[in-house]
Amino acid sequence: MKIHPSILSADFANLETELQRISNADMAHVDVMDNHFVPNLTFGPPVVERIKAVSPVPIDAHLMIADADRNAPVYAEMGCESVTFHLEAAAAPVRLARELRRLGAQASVAIKPGTPVEPLIDLLGEFDQVLIMTVEPGFGGQKFLDVCLPKVKRLRAAISEQNMKVNIQVDGGISASTLDRAVEAGANVFVAGSAVYGSDNPAATIDELRAQALAHV
Ligand code: DX5
Ligand code: ZN
């Protein structure tokens, strides 16, 4: 059970301090948006490289960017420990996942709420993680979409059936009040932006969310 706070809800003018506040996280979730794949813009390689340099925890780069085949490998090259690209933005997801692993990163693939999970079922050996989005990607603070949970369930069943070790990450609307449903469906990596950075004590919130998830094991 891992908690990855999303720095999308952090103060962008003080990223180093904001990263220090989540030093008990399993990884820092870094949302890269290009105003093309999603209708919002955050930052790109030069800023993520600096985030990586000062972060006390490993980097989980969530790339909401077009042409992932061309644009994702640079994040593995700069040392991000996990690189997630969107299936909808990749022309050759297997080739890209192999390239990310070759560059030393964990390979992770994300799907939006409207994208079926079934095309990934026969490709599980290519990925270290599948991210099932539980909001439409683009913004923090949106409402958790329960309609995405059956995909988490089917994916967990397929992973168990194939005896694989693939993480299932959920991202969007995760808080103390939605976490249990995601855990019960089979997720084991939880991204939380507003729930962590909106709290008075982000580190305590991380510990609380992790303990809440572990209570199911
Ligand atoms: C949304 C991003 C999320 C976002 C989650 O597109 O991928 O990582 O920061 O924010 P919350 O936890 O507030 O829904
Ligand atoms: Zn994200």
Side-chain angles (χ1 to χ4, degrees):
M1 296 295 175
K2 313 250 189 242
I3 307 296
H4 294 191
S6 165
I7 62 163
L8 187 62
S9 295
D11 176 1
F12 281 5
N14 294 290
L15 283 176
E16 184 168 10
T17 319
E18 292 286 71
L19 286 159
Q20 294 303 330
R21 295 172 81 199
I22 58 157
S23 59
N24 60 330
D26 295 284
M27 287 196 185
H29 184 86
V30 175
D31 288 303
V32 177
M33 304 184 184
D34 66 354
N35 208 24
H36 187 69
F37 181 72
V38 288
N40 194 6
L41 183 68
T42 55
F43 32 63
V47 175
V48 178
E49 199 160 12
R50 290 299 301 143
I51 289 170
K52 166 68 194 147
V54 302
S55 175
V57 293
I59 299 299
D60 159 24
H62 176 196
L63 308 179
M64 287 158 275
I65 56 178
D67 196 359
D69 308 72
R70 196 167 64 90
N71 296 318
V74 64
Y75 294 91
E77 277 162 12
M78 71 173 71
C80 293
E81 282 79 359
S82 174
V83 176
T84 300
F85 64 87
H86 267 265
L87 185 62
E88 303 89 352
V94 172
R95 185 172 62 203
L96 177 55
R98 290 184 180 192
E99 173 74 352
L100 295 173
R101 280 179 165 175
R102 190 185 66 76
L103 293 167
Q106 293 173 34
S108 168
V109 62
I111 54 172
K112 300 202 282 185
T115 303
V117 72
E118 278 67 26
L120 293 172
I121 299 291
D122 290 322
L123 304 177
L124 292 178
E126 304 293 334
F127 301 106
D128 299 289
Q129 174 177 272
V130 176
L131 164 54
I132 307 283
M133 290 301 300
T134 44
V135 297
E136 291 291 354
F139 302 93
Q142 301 182 77
K143 194 176 170 311
F144 182 78
L145 295 174
D146 283 276
V147 288
C148 299
L149 289 177
K151 286 198 288 190
V152 176
K153 272 195 191 123
R154 294 200 298 277
L155 178 60
R156 178 54 69 197
I159 291 169
S160 303
E161 194 181 313
Q162 295 179 39
N163 240 322
M164 306 284 270
K165 233 185 143 287
V166 182
N167 289 316
I168 302 182
Q169 184 177 69
V170 282
D171 178 11
I174 300 291
S175 68
S177 55
T178 55
L179 182 77
D180 290 339
R181 271 124 71 194
V183 175
E184 275 157 23
N188 70 303
V189 182
F190 306 90
V191 176
S194 45
V196 169
Y197 277 104
S199 91
D200 294 336
N201 187 340
T205 302
I206 291 165
D207 286 341
E208 283 160 22
L209 290 171
R210 196 188 287 109
Q212 188 179 334
L214 282 168
H216 291 255
V217 182

